[in-house]
Amino acid sequence: RALRGICGAALFLSQLSILSGRAGSLMTTKLSQPQSTLAKSLTSTSTNAPYFKAFESTEIPPYVTNCPSNGLCSRLPPDCMTCNTNYSCIYGKTTTFDCKVKPHVHCVDENNHEQENFTINMTCQFCWQLATSDYVCTNSTNCMTVSCPRQRYNATCTVRDHIHCLGNRVFPKMLYCNWTGGYKWSTALALSITLGGFGADRFYLGQWREGLGKLFSFGGLGIWTLIDVLLIGVGYVGPADGSLYI
C-alpha cells in the first residue's frame, strides 16, 4: 500500500508539472502577439514617414498663383524669380542681372523652349528711389491737406508687380497729405457765385458755423459773399475735413 501511495503521488506531481508548462507556453504566446503587433505598427509608421515628408515638400507655394505658366521668363513678376543683384552697378544705368525661376514656376524663352536661368535688364536703383507711379502707398485721412507747412504722414508703399528694383519691395515713406473727401472745386465755386449770399457754399464744404453766419447776415451784406468767391476760386477755402478738392 505504501508503494502504491508513493507511485500515485509521483504520477500526480508529473501531471501537475506538465499542466504548468502548457500554461506557461500559452502565456508566452499571448504576450508575444501584442509585441509583434506593436513591432509591425512601428515598422509601418517608419515606412510611411518618408511618404508624408515627401507629400509636404510637394505643396505648391502661394506665389505660384501670380506666375503665368509657360510665359516668357524675362517678363515674369519679380516674386517668381531670384536674381543675383549687382550692387556695384551705376545708379540710373540699365544693367543686366542673372536670374533663376523659383520652384514650381515654368517659363520659356523666345524660341518657346523651357528654361530656368535667364537674364533681365533692370535700372540700377533701389525700390524707394522709384518714381511715384511705380508703387502704391497707403492713404491717411487723419492729417490736414491745407496747412502751413504741409503735413506729412507715414505711409507703407508696395512696388507694382511689373517693376524691377533693388532692395525691399515694401518700404516706408513720408508723404504729403493728399487725400480727398469727394468735394468738387467747381461745385463749391458755382454755389459761392449763385447762392453764396445764403451760405450754400459753406454748407457744402461742411463749414456749418460760417454758413449760418452768412445765412442770417445775408452774406455779410454782399461783402462776405464776394470775399468767399475769391477765396474759393484760388483754393484758399477748402473742405472742413481738411481734404483736397477733386
Side-chain angles (χ1 to χ4, degrees):
R1 291 181 180 177
L3 184 59
R4 289 181 180 178
I6 292 172
C7 292
L11 181 61
F12 176 76
L13 291 175
S14 64
Q15 291 178 355
L16 182 62
S17 63
I18 292 171
L19 291 175
S20 62
R22 291 180 178 178
S25 63
L26 289 174
M27 292 179 63
T28 305
T29 304
K30 290 182 178 180
L31 291 174
S32 62
Q33 288 179 354
Q35 293 178 357
S36 63
T37 305
L38 179 61
K40 289 181 180 180
S41 63
L42 291 174
T43 305
S44 63
T45 303
S46 62
T47 304
N48 293 335
Y51 170 75
F52 288 113
K53 291 181 180 179
F55 177 75
E56 292 177 355
S57 62
T58 56
E59 291 183 355
I60 299 177
Y63 62 80
V64 178
T65 57
N66 299 326
C67 303
S69 180
N70 296 326
L72 289 176
C73 295
S74 58
R75 296 189 178 182
L76 285 175
D79 293 336
C80 306
M81 65 180 75
T82 54
C83 300
N84 297 326
T85 53
N86 182 12
Y87 290 101
S88 62
C89 60
I90 301 176
Y91 173 74
K93 300 294 183 179
T94 302
T95 310
T96 301
F97 291 85
D98 296 327
C99 301
K100 181 180 180 180
V101 294
K102 290 184 177 180
H104 305 284
V105 177
H106 302 281
C107 62
V108 296
D109 57 7
E110 290 77 3
N111 298 324
N112 204 22
H113 295 155
E114 187 173 357
Q115 63 176 173
E116 294 184 358
N117 300 315
F118 57 96
T119 59
I120 61 171
N121 295 325
M122 181 171 62
T123 304
C124 181
Q125 60 183 351
F126 288 96
C127 294
W128 58 270
Q129 296 174 323
L130 292 172
T132 55
S133 59
D134 294 335
Y135 53 82
V136 180
C137 300
T138 57
N139 292 326
S140 175
T141 58
N142 297 324
C143 56
M144 298 292 293
T145 58
V146 182
S147 63
C148 186
R150 291 182 63 187
Q151 290 188 7
R152 294 173 177 261
Y153 70 97
N154 292 320
T156 301
C157 302
T158 305
V159 182
R160 299 185 184 273
D161 291 337
H162 63 282
I163 302 298
H164 295 273
C165 57
L166 301 176
N168 297 326
R169 299 184 61 81
V170 179
F171 53 91
K173 198 165 188 178
M174 292 288 294
L175 299 178
Y176 285 109
C177 297
N178 59 352
W179 66 285
T180 178
Y183 297 95
K184 292 184 177 181
W185 173 81
S186 59
T187 303
L189 182 61
L191 290 175
S192 182
I193 295 173
T194 56
L195 301 175
F198 302 98
D201 50 354
R202 295 283 183 163
F203 285 127
Y204 172 73
L205 296 175
Q207 301 175 4
W208 297 95
R209 294 180 181 178
E210 292 81 355
L212 291 174
K214 291 182 69 175
L215 177 63
F216 291 110
S217 65
F218 299 103
L221 300 178
I223 299 176
W224 194 350
T225 302
L226 295 176
I227 294 175
D228 272 356
V229 171
L230 295 176
L231 294 179
I232 294 176
V234 298
Y236 183 80
V237 174
D241 58 4
S243 63
L244 294 175
Y245 286 115
I246 297 178

